[in-house]
Amino acid sequence: MTINLTVAVVIAVLYSVGFYLLMQRSLMRILLGIVVLGHGSNLLLQIAGGPPGRPPMLSLARPEEMTDPLPQAMALTAIVITFALTTFLLALAYRSWTLLGHDEVRDDVEDRRIQRLEKRLEADEDADDDDSVEDEPAKEAAQ
């Protein structure tokens, strides 16, 4: 089985654009990223299925001529999952728009508190390291 270079590039572009959009702060861009990733996944699964063949029924074709039904089932599952995430994110975006007037994802207050705590601990460690370097000559002189 050979994969066309154009299809491989299209799949790579779809995944790249989808992941880029997922990293944005707007819920609508995140929604578009999920949809683009879903399309990329469906295309990848259809390419993984190989060339078209006969239906997978023993009385109609020999096993060598049959198409593998698993990638098609996986593509249907990916479509359902993409649809479910799309409806969920649309509901989140709508609720955010009606309550806040925008669909931007805010920073979590707890995350900011943890970042400040980490910075404070790093500053304390740096101060302790500086104090220990300054005290070493005094300790040596006392001995």
Side-chain angles (χ1 to χ4, degrees), residues 93-128:
Y94 176 75
R95 183 167 172 84
S96 176
W97 184 263
T98 55
L99 292 177
L100 303 173
H102 58 81
D103 67 340
E104 187 137 332
V105 178
R106 295 182 296 175
D107 286 336
D108 190 17
V109 176
E110 187 67 18
D111 287 342
R112 280 191 254 141
R113 187 186 68 78
I114 291 172
Q115 286 176 349
R116 283 194 306 262
L117 180 63
E118 287 176 353
K119 287 179 184 177
R120 204 174 307 138
L121 289 175
E122 287 176 6
D124 290 343
E125 287 176 4
D126 290 342
D128 290 341

Side-chain angles (χ1 to χ4, degrees), residues 45-107:
L45 288 168
Q46 290 304 316
I47 293 302
R54 304 283 307 225
M57 296 180 190
L58 289 176
S59 62
L60 296 178
R62 295 190 317 266
E64 302 86 39
E65 298 173 347
M66 292 182 189
T67 303
D68 185 15
L70 183 62
Q72 295 173 8
M74 297 294 285
L76 286 173
T77 304
I79 290 169
V80 170
I81 291 171
T82 302
F83 180 71
L85 282 173
T86 301
T87 55
F88 178 70
L89 286 173
L90 275 173
L92 281 179
Y94 176 75
R95 183 167 172 84
S96 176
W97 184 263
T98 55
L99 292 177
L100 303 173
H102 58 81
D103 67 340
E104 187 137 332
V105 178
R106 295 182 296 175
D107 286 336

Side-chain angles (χ1 to χ4, degrees), residues 4-27:
N4 189 355
L5 181 64
T6 307
V7 176
V9 169
V10 167
I11 291 171
V13 167
L14 285 174
Y15 272 101
S16 300
V17 169
F19 283 123
Y20 175 77
L21 288 172
L22 276 178
M23 297 298 134
Q24 303 299 312
R25 297 184 66 83
S26 171
L27 282 175

